[in-house]
Amino acid sequence: MRREVTLRDVAELAGVSSRTVSNVVNGYANVTARTKERVQRAVDELGYRPNVLARNLAQGRSGQIAVVVPYLDTPYFAELLQSVIRAARISGYNVLIDQTDGDPEHERGFIAHGSRRLLFDGVIFSPLGLDQQALADRDPALPLVILGERTSDGTFDHIGIDDVAASRQATEHLLDLGRRRVAAIGDQPYATGEAAQLRTRGFRQAHEGRGRPVHEDLIIGTPRFNRPDGARAMAHLLDGENPPDAVFCYSDLVALGAIHAILARGLRVPEDVAVIGYDDIEDGRYSNPTVTTISPDKEWIATTAVERLLLRIGSSTPPPGLELRAPHKLIVRESTTGTISRQ
Amino acid sequence: MRREVTLRDVAELAGVSSRTVSNVVNGYANVTARTKERVQRAVDELGYRPNVLARNLAQGRSGQIAVVVPYLDTPYFAELLQSVIRAARISGYNVLIDQTDGDPEHERGFIAHGSRRLLFDGVIFSPLGLDQQALADRDPALPLVILGERTSDGTFDHIGIDDVAASRQATEHLLDLGRRRVAAIGDQPYATGEAAQLRTRGFRQAHEGRGRPVHEDLIIGTPRFNRPDGARAMAHLLDGENPPDAVFCYSDLVALGAIHAILARGLRVPEDVAVIGYDDIEDGRYSNPTVTTISPDKEWIATTAVERLLLRIGSSTPPPGLELRAPHKLIVRESTTGTISRQ
DNA sequence: ATGAAAGCGCTAACAA
DNA sequence: TTGTTAGCGCTTTCAT
């Protein structure tokens, strides 16, 4: 294979120094129109294209950001990633994606001072297996933006919706429909289950606010927020002594699984059991019945995450870590109000 | 910020040359147990970690592969990517992901001899906007594996299922249920629609094989294979003079959209219209009704793609381009046979 | 505005 | 088995 065309080759042909070629290629100032044109011609003639690897080494940066999520095939993340990639591309960044399966070791590897560290200039991270403590114990020089429920300790930005408020709102919606035995599927009463716990808190607040008792036996935990877990939990509830007449699910996938389980028993949604989800993924807009849900502004989350991360990457002195609240809203569909609301 | 620990620092402390340290760090042979240990101690003491960027430049490779798909939020791709990432990681490769939105220019940029070229050592590519010709016109040195329907020209590997056979099988299933007016949603009668055309061919073959006439007015094109397009096409069919009693959809998303449209009119699935999809995404296993579908072996596709790509990357003389057929099977669910088959 | 030259940190060909 | 050293191709400080 013949040698690649280098900057020096171009410089030689154009009769200038490599410094000047570099200036032209990178669009820096201080180049006469004449030299610029001469260089440009040489570039075209030789078919020169810069070697990214060399540039990376010289600059000490990779031009990549990493986005680390627990599961890629979760529609919520897939939809979010889509927007992140777009936003990053606009700023000239490539996106390295990895999924961790929620494995703490794997997650740690991404924020630790490891050998992969230089592969990306910053990380947008949605942790699942790492608690607050493990998060704090990381490469302090790594620009980091956290998605989901972890509180910022001031050294990174955190972006999420107000989970407590959103969950309260969701639960109130069910209570206001006159439902009396409202269940919750998705609680995770352990260190890494912060997000779930916030939702459970909102669930309780709604009951308090409406002066209704919380049915503790109707709060069900699930290891993950996916369809199978949702179906399993719902089946369990329906097998119980006093099955619920409404369910607040901690994700739309859980809701879809739950609905599947309800219908499988010949019961109706929402007549027998009303179901509300969380995330507003596209599935819920086309399912039968369509799913009432809490809709976070994913576009806002994605663009803000990229924006904040690039700002961090570009700053010599790290900006203070912010707590950012993304907008959200309740979207009412058939799974709580029936076909009446069909548009 | 204090200087990073380099290979030389380690060498100095251990009293050996940097060459030896490099050998130890990379696990090469030819190192005495004693020197090895001495070096290792120095590494630990200084907290040395290799600079990937420098290594990349020196080796002329990036240790990354790119996976390029049209849409990240399509469950089929999300599920596939999941397996690709796992397989790549096992071999020590990072995965750079990008979506092209099917934009031909963008797609070309990934296989062209551009400046990003060195960012990845090879590409797994699912083209949408590029036809066969545009594919051939690329950086010949780029190791490439193509997914989906494009025939290999011998310079890259191509992996896909037998679309014609699978589509024939799907259509036969509908005909064998006694359906007479079988529609097809998803045809794309233009250069970049090869995959769709193969499916249409299988659709026709099934009719021929069963001695039934094809209803040309029931073959509907869609720009994309997503829920909205499926719903729209189905609505169009139902508005027609002779609505179908069965539909072969070119993806599960199309099927889910179609089912949505059918139910929205108060019709029943499968009693009034039987629906079959393609891809076997998780959505179809939990939807109501569950979706009969063609299930390609995604794990096989992903691991084979990575395997073939790495083989290409590792070969000085490129191996011949293979046509690889992934296994597939028909999975019968409620959308064609009703709740009878419910398990 | 442009040139000369010293790195960036690692790998690997060549020697010893 | 280990050391020496010349790159890899670009960026960037310091001169001019």
Side-chain angles (χ1 to χ4, degrees):
Chain A
M1 198 177 92
R2 76 174 202 295
R3 221 176 99 286
E4 284 294 319
V5 180
T6 76
L7 204 65
R8 211 199 308 274
D9 298 330
V10 177
E12 210 164 299
L13 177 62
V16 299
S17 83
S18 60
R19 162 66 200 266
T20 303
V21 179
S22 177
N23 278 343
V24 172
V25 170
N26 294 299
Y28 286 167
N30 298 348
V31 207
T32 327
R34 269 198 43 222
T35 8
K36 189 183 209 160
E37 197 200 302
R38 198 140 42 102
V39 171
Q40 192 55 55
R41 194 153 39 216
V43 164
D44 293 342
E45 189 174 329
L46 296 175
Y48 168 77
R49 72 213 155 85
N51 181 321
V52 212
L53 268 28
R55 173 181 296 172
N56 287 348
L57 175 58
Q59 292 189 146
R61 22 162 279 135
S62 66
Q64 294 188 151
I65 63 175
V67 182
V68 184
V69 299
Y71 306 100
L72 243 184
D73 63 350
T74 300
Y76 175 75
F77 288 123
E79 293 179 10
L80 198 64
L81 278 174
Q82 181 148 254
S83 303
V84 168
I85 289 182
R86 285 209 187 97
R89 187 158 54 222
I90 291 174
S91 304
Y93 273 80
N94 284 111
V95 178
L96 187 80
I97 294 181
D98 211 346
Q99 61 180 355
T100 63
D101 296 308
D103 175 43
E105 275 321 306
H106 192 142
E107 293 194 341
R108 207 187 316 279
F110 260 97
I111 57 170
H113 187 75
S115 71
R116 307 172 75 189
R117 172 61 182 81
L118 294 187
L119 275 182
F120 30 84
D121 301 333
V123 178
I124 295 176
F125 184 27
S126 178
L128 198 63
L130 293 186
D131 59 22
Q132 194 72 32
Q133 175 52 43
L135 257 189
D137 183 26
R138 66 173 204 282
D139 180 350
L142 175 68
L144 181 65
V145 172
I146 296 283
L147 304 182
E149 244 16 83
R150 289 289 185 283
T151 323
S152 169
D153 61 5
T155 64
F156 56 80
D157 294 313
H158 167 247
I159 302 179
I161 68 171
D162 185 337
D163 269 305
V164 178
S167 302
R168 190 185 335 112
Q169 208 174 334
T171 311
E172 282 169 356
H173 172 64
L174 296 174
L175 291 172
D176 292 347
L177 288 170
R179 306 290 168 148
R180 287 303 143 100
R181 296 188 48 80
V182 181
I185 301 183
D187 192 39
Q188 298 177 337
Y190 35 81
T192 56
E194 287 186 49
Q197 290 163 36
L198 292 176
R199 295 177 196 183
T200 304
R201 190 182 310 164
F203 175 77
R204 291 183 188 283
Q205 283 185 5
H207 281 79
E208 265 173 50
R210 292 294 188 266
R212 314 275 336 158
V214 171
H215 298 280
E216 295 295 339
D217 56 319
L218 296 183
I219 300 180
I220 306 289
T222 54
R224 288 188 51 181
F225 286 179
N226 57 17
R227 294 185 183 87
D229 281 4
R232 209 171 298 129
M234 191 69 225
H236 174 76
L237 282 171
L238 295 174
D239 285 340
E241 302 209 336
N242 285 298
D245 55 9
V247 200
F248 168 37
C249 298
Y250 291 11
S251 88
D252 280 352
L253 289 183
V254 169
L256 289 166
I259 289 173
H260 182 78
I262 296 168
L263 299 177
R265 312 222 158 188
L267 298 172
R268 294 158 305 161
V269 176
E271 291 82 352
D272 298 308
V273 187
V275 179
I276 187 168
Y278 209 97
D279 288 345
D280 190 23
I281 60 178
E282 199 192 64
D283 314 45
R285 298 204 277 279
Y286 286 86
S287 57
N288 172 43
T290 54
V291 181
T292 296
T293 192
I294 292 293
S295 176
D297 190 333
K298 300 192 198 76
E299 187 64 28
W300 191 96
I301 295 175
T303 54
T304 305
V306 171
E307 188 181 296
R308 291 295 303 177
L309 188 64
L310 296 191
L311 190 146
R312 260 171 198 290
I313 291 174
S315 314
S316 44
T317 58
L322 260 44
E323 272 297 338
L324 296 163
R325 287 271 158 253
H328 73 266
K329 60 188 176 205
L330 173 71
I331 296 189
V332 178
R333 300 208 185 93
E334 297 166 359
S335 68
T336 56
T337 58
T339 48
I340 305 151
S341 75
R342 197 160 233 166
Q343 26 189 352
Chain B
M1 198 176 95
R2 78 175 200 293
R3 221 175 98 288
E4 284 295 319
V5 180
T6 76
L7 204 64
R8 210 198 309 274
D9 298 330
V10 177
E12 208 163 301
L13 177 62
V16 300
S17 81
S18 61
R19 162 67 199 267
T20 303
V21 179
S22 177
N23 278 343
V24 171
V25 170
N26 295 299
Y28 288 166
N30 297 346
V31 206
T32 328
R34 270 197 42 223
T35 11
K36 188 182 210 161
E37 198 200 300
R38 198 140 42 102
V39 170
Q40 192 56 55
R41 194 155 36 218
V43 164
D44 294 340
E45 189 174 331
L46 296 175
Y48 167 76
R49 74 215 154 86
N51 181 322
V52 213
L53 268 28
R55 173 182 295 169
N56 287 349
L57 174 59
Q59 291 190 145
R61 21 162 278 134
S62 67
Q64 295 189 150
I65 63 175
V67 182
V68 184
V69 299
Y71 306 100
L72 242 185
D73 63 349
T74 301
Y76 176 75
F77 288 124
E79 292 179 11
L80 198 64
L81 277 174
Q82 180 148 252
S83 302
V84 168
I85 289 182
R86 284 208 188 96
R89 186 159 53 222
I90 291 174
S91 302
Y93 273 80
N94 284 111
V95 178
L96 188 79
I97 293 182
D98 212 346
Q99 61 179 358
T100 62
D101 295 309
D103 174 43
E105 274 323 306
H106 191 143
E107 292 194 342
R108 207 188 317 279
F110 260 98
I111 57 170
H113 187 73
S115 71
R116 306 171 75 189
R117 171 61 182 81
L118 294 187
L119 274 182
F120 30 84
D121 301 333
V123 177
I124 295 176
F125 185 26
S126 178
L128 199 62
L130 292 185
D131 60 21
Q132 194 73 32
Q133 176 51 45
L135 257 189
D137 182 26
R138 66 175 203 281
D139 180 351
L142 175 68
L144 181 65
V145 172
I146 296 284
L147 304 181
E149 242 18 80
R150 290 290 184 282
T151 325
S152 169
D153 61 5
T155 65
F156 56 81
D157 295 312
H158 168 245
I159 303 178
I161 68 171
D162 186 337
D163 269 305
V164 178
S167 302
R168 188 183 339 109
Q169 208 174 334
T171 311
E172 283 169 356
H173 172 63
L174 296 175
L175 292 171
D176 292 348
L177 288 171
R179 305 292 168 146
R180 288 302 143 104
R181 297 188 46 81
V182 182
I185 300 183
D187 192 38
Q188 299 177 336
Y190 34 83
T192 56
E194 287 187 49
Q197 289 162 38
L198 292 176
R199 295 177 196 183
T200 303
R201 190 183 309 163
F203 176 78
R204 292 184 188 282
Q205 283 186 4
H207 281 81
E208 266 173 48
R210 293 294 189 266
R212 314 276 335 161
V214 172
H215 299 279
E216 296 296 338
D217 56 320
L218 296 184
I219 300 180
I220 306 289
T222 53
R224 288 188 51 180
F225 286 180
N226 58 17
R227 293 186 184 88
D229 280 5
R232 210 171 296 129
M234 191 69 226
H236 173 76
L237 282 170
L238 294 174
D239 285 339
E241 302 210 335
N242 284 298
D245 56 8
V247 200
F248 168 36
C249 298
Y250 290 12
S251 89
D252 279 352
L253 289 184
V254 169
L256 289 166
I259 290 173
H260 183 77
I262 296 168
L263 299 177
R265 311 219 159 191
L267 298 172
R268 293 158 306 162
V269 176
E271 293 80 351
D272 299 307
V273 188
V275 179
I276 187 168
Y278 209 99
D279 288 344
D280 190 23
I281 60 177
E282 199 191 64
D283 313 43
R285 299 204 276 278
Y286 285 87
S287 57
N288 173 42
T290 54
V291 181
T292 296
T293 191
I294 293 293
S295 175
D297 190 333
K298 300 192 199 76
E299 187 64 27
W300 192 96
I301 295 175
T303 54
T304 306
V306 171
E307 190 180 295
R308 290 295 305 176
L309 188 65
L310 296 190
L311 190 146
R312 264 175 195 287
I313 290 173
S315 312
S316 43
T317 59
L322 260 45
E323 273 297 336
L324 296 163
R325 286 274 157 251
H328 74 265
K329 60 188 176 202
L330 172 71
I331 296 189
V332 178
R333 300 207 185 94
E334 296 167 1
S335 67
T336 56
T337 58
T339 50
I340 306 149
S341 75
R342 196 158 232 167
Q343 26 189 351

